[in-house]
Structure formats: C-alpha cells, structure tokens
Amino acid sequence: MTDLDQAALYDAAPVDLQWYRQELEQQRQFRLDQLTQLAYDAKAGSGDALAEVTATLTRAARVALADIDAALFRLAIGRFGDCQQCGRAIPEDRLHAVPMTGLCLRCQLRKESDPSRQPWRTGTIPPMSPPRPRRDIVDVWGDDSFPASDPPSNW
C-alpha cells in the first residue's frame, strides 16, 4: 500500500469545527481587506506594470476568497472535512495546513496531474506574440496635420 493509499484511508478524529470557523473567518477578513487595498491601489496607481500586478493579485485574492467562502459553506452544512471528489475524510493535518481545501491529497494530486486542466502540458496554449507598439495621436494624424488648438471635426 502506497503512502497515498494510507493517507486516503486515514480515518480522522472529530475536528474542532470552532477553530476552523475562526481561522476561516480571519482569513476571509484578510482577503476582504486585501481586495479593498488593491482596489485603492488600482485607482491611485500609474503605469502598466503596476496595473498588471494589481490585477493579478486581485484575481488571486478573489479565488482565495471564493475557496474560503466555499469552506465556510461546507462547515455550515456539515460537510467540512469531507473530500468533494471521493467523499473520504480529509486528514486533519491537511485541513490544519490549508483549512479551505475541499480535496483530499489523492484527489488533489489527480486533479493537478490531469492534462486537460493544464493546457501548458498539452501544448494548447498559443505562443506569446510580441506586444504591439502603442500608437499616439501624432502617429495616426502626423504632427503637422493640424494645429493643437484645432483638432479634427470628428472629435
């Protein structure tokens, strides 16, 4: 029997649901505060690089918040600690490390090794194209097309 089989057959003792509820609520509040700060940074920030980093962090925080909310829902309906894929009990050490997890280690590894969920393994992601140069109004109209005080009539 492999280590994964033993981990999957692990029969966890009853978990302290109150501790997990408090931990998840604390992590939820952190993510909400983080999203608020990122929204503020996005409005105040300048530059494409900062906007891209802020957008990536915002997406990651939203995914984490959704995972936390799903775990709180499972807690509310009495399904916390059960694998959503196979229904087995998730070992408490895994729950303690990642309270919002919904999969046992075996199902998590199976999900991560599924090539249909990882397009970079199947080669379906197209290669990145070079960025297009940004065009300015001078590039479009030319710098001697019209004086600055007299823009085109279709503006």
Side-chain angles (χ1 to χ4, degrees):
M1 186 177 277
T2 67
D3 291 338
L4 282 177
D5 293 331
Q6 289 175 353
L9 295 175
Y10 178 77
D11 189 17
V15 296
D16 181 9
L17 296 181
Q18 186 60 31
W19 183 87
Y20 287 107
R21 182 174 282 109
Q22 290 173 349
E23 183 69 20
L24 288 166
E25 288 291 344
Q26 184 179 15
Q27 288 185 20
R28 185 175 194 280
Q29 188 58 50
F30 170 78
R31 292 301 177 182
L32 290 172
D33 293 343
Q34 183 183 31
L35 285 169
T36 302
Q37 183 64 40
L38 287 169
Y40 176 77
D41 291 347
K43 289 180 184 176
S46 62
D48 291 338
L50 181 61
E52 186 176 334
V53 169
T54 302
T56 301
L57 289 173
T58 300
R59 279 191 301 273
R62 285 183 179 157
V63 167
L65 185 61
D67 290 344
I68 292 166
D69 286 341
L72 286 168
F73 178 76
R74 288 191 304 274
L75 242 167
I77 64 170
R79 300 284 305 189
F80 183 78
D82 296 338
C83 179
Q84 294 176 307
Q85 196 74 29
C86 67
R88 294 182 178 144
I90 300 172
E92 190 168 0
D93 56 346
R94 178 164 169 76
L95 283 174
H96 191 74
V98 188
M100 70 281 299
T101 189
L103 299 174
C104 66
L105 184 59
R106 173 184 237 163
C107 291
Q108 181 71 39
L109 291 173
R110 188 175 297 140
K111 176 184 171 185
E112 290 174 1
S113 66
D114 183 6
S116 67
R117 295 181 180 261
Q118 300 173 353
W120 61 87
R121 288 189 177 196
T122 60
T124 58
I125 293 180
M128 289 184 63
S129 58
R132 293 187 316 191
R134 299 187 82 173
R135 296 183 62 165
D136 192 1
I137 191 152
V138 174
D139 297 332
V140 175
W141 292 95
D143 53 0
D144 61 335
S145 299
F146 57 91
S149 61
D150 187 22
S153 61
N154 63 352
W155 279 18

